[in-house]
Amino acid sequence: MWKCTNCHHVELGSVKPESCPLCGAEAEKLVLHEVPGIKGEKTLQNLKAGFVAESQANLRNLAFAMKAEQEGYPQMARLFRAVAEAEAVHAFHHLRLLGGISGTQENMESAFEKENLASNAYPGFIKEANEEDNPHVARIFGYSRDVERGHARLYSKALDHMVSDVDTEYYVCGICGYVSDGVLPDECPICGASKEKFRKVV
Ligand SMILES: [Fe+2]
Ligand SMILES: [Fe+2]
Ligand SMILES: [Zn+2]
Ligand SMILES: [Zn+2]
């Protein structure tokens, strides 16, 4: 497999891609990458598939738990959360074995790149949602487009301060995913939600 020295993306496969499929960096930025302790391409593919499936199961169960709470089934909600946590345990194992967890500095750089790439993907998604007459979907994609760039900024800001011990609190908008650092805003600057919609991250 191949690792992009620009964005840290890891691409499976024995044939070198012409450019990084994630950030588009030219082929010379891609270096041969071996995952220590893993032999063979199929096991790698399966680890990746397992990671995707377990991550989805984690999130789906958390969503089901929220619904169960709303419908007045706290016991079912607890069960969904318990299984969600178990799926996260599996997903963490897969990601670790894939070599997807580096040191914090590299993880921050890689998270920064991924946020930028995510925000670049959304204008196209919005256009296609509108072309197919799905304005409600376009609106939700718009939240991501407007917010991912801010996530990237938070990472780059934090990278600058990694050595100095700055203590920052973060508040997440439950409507659009905007992350505010340091202050709880009166109103979300992206979607206009009131401050009650924000959750402080512990
Ligand atoms: Fe699982
Ligand atoms: Fe993000
Ligand atoms: Zn790349
Ligand atoms: Zn918001």
Side-chain angles (χ1 to χ4, degrees), residues 117-174:
L117 294 164
S119 81
N120 292 343
Y122 278 104
F125 291 179
I126 292 166
K127 185 168 164 278
E128 286 171 357
N130 281 321
E131 280 166 6
E132 294 185 338
D133 197 22
N134 296 302
H136 57 304
V137 179
R139 190 172 61 85
I140 297 296
F141 284 157
Y143 285 160
S144 294
R145 176 200 55 200
D146 297 340
V147 159
E148 308 294 7
R149 193 73 69 196
H151 295 170
R153 257 197 305 275
L154 288 170
Y155 282 125
S156 77
K157 196 168 155 188
L159 268 163
D160 291 342
H161 297 292
M162 247 182 99
V163 274
S164 61
D165 227 348
V166 195
D167 210 355
T168 306
E169 269 158 4
Y170 297 101
Y171 302 87
V172 180
C173 174

Side-chain angles (χ1 to χ4, degrees), residues 4 7 20 23:
C4 174
C7 73
C20 172
C23 75

Side-chain angles (χ1 to χ4, degrees), residues 40-181:
E41 203 66 30
K42 280 186 194 141
T43 302
L44 278 176
Q45 297 280 8
N46 293 339
L47 276 172
K48 199 171 178 182
F51 173 63
V52 170
E54 300 283 4
S55 304
Q56 289 177 347
N58 165 263
L59 204 76
R60 197 175 296 116
N61 282 315
L62 289 179
F64 290 172
M66 274 189 249
K67 185 67 179 177
E69 290 285 2
Q70 285 165 8
E71 290 186 342
Y73 300 111
Q75 177 57 43
M76 300 304 129
R78 206 173 302 137
L79 173 59
F80 280 129
R81 282 196 296 271
V83 177
E85 193 167 325
E87 308 302 12
V89 170
H90 298 159
F92 289 146
H93 279 306
H94 297 344
L95 187 60
R96 176 178 54 79
L97 288 168
L98 276 165
I101 308 172
S102 308
T104 298
Q105 167 121 22
E106 187 174 327
N107 289 338
M108 303 256 296
E109 288 164 4
S110 141
F112 168 79
E113 284 297 335
K114 289 214 162 62
E115 295 294 344
N116 276 329
L117 294 164
S119 81
N120 292 343
Y122 278 104
F125 291 179
I126 292 166
K127 185 168 164 278
E128 286 171 357
N130 281 321
E131 280 166 6
E132 294 185 338
D133 197 22
N134 296 302
H136 57 304
V137 179
R139 190 172 61 85
I140 297 296
F141 284 157
Y143 285 160
S144 294
R145 176 200 55 200
D146 297 340
V147 159
E148 308 294 7
R149 193 73 69 196
H151 295 170
R153 257 197 305 275
L154 288 170
Y155 282 125
S156 77
K157 196 168 155 188
L159 268 163
D160 291 342
H161 297 292
M162 247 182 99
V163 274
S164 61
D165 227 348
V166 195
D167 210 355
T168 306
E169 269 158 4
Y170 297 101
Y171 302 87
V172 180
C173 174
I175 304 298
C176 75
Y178 168 75
V179 180
S180 175
D181 59 334

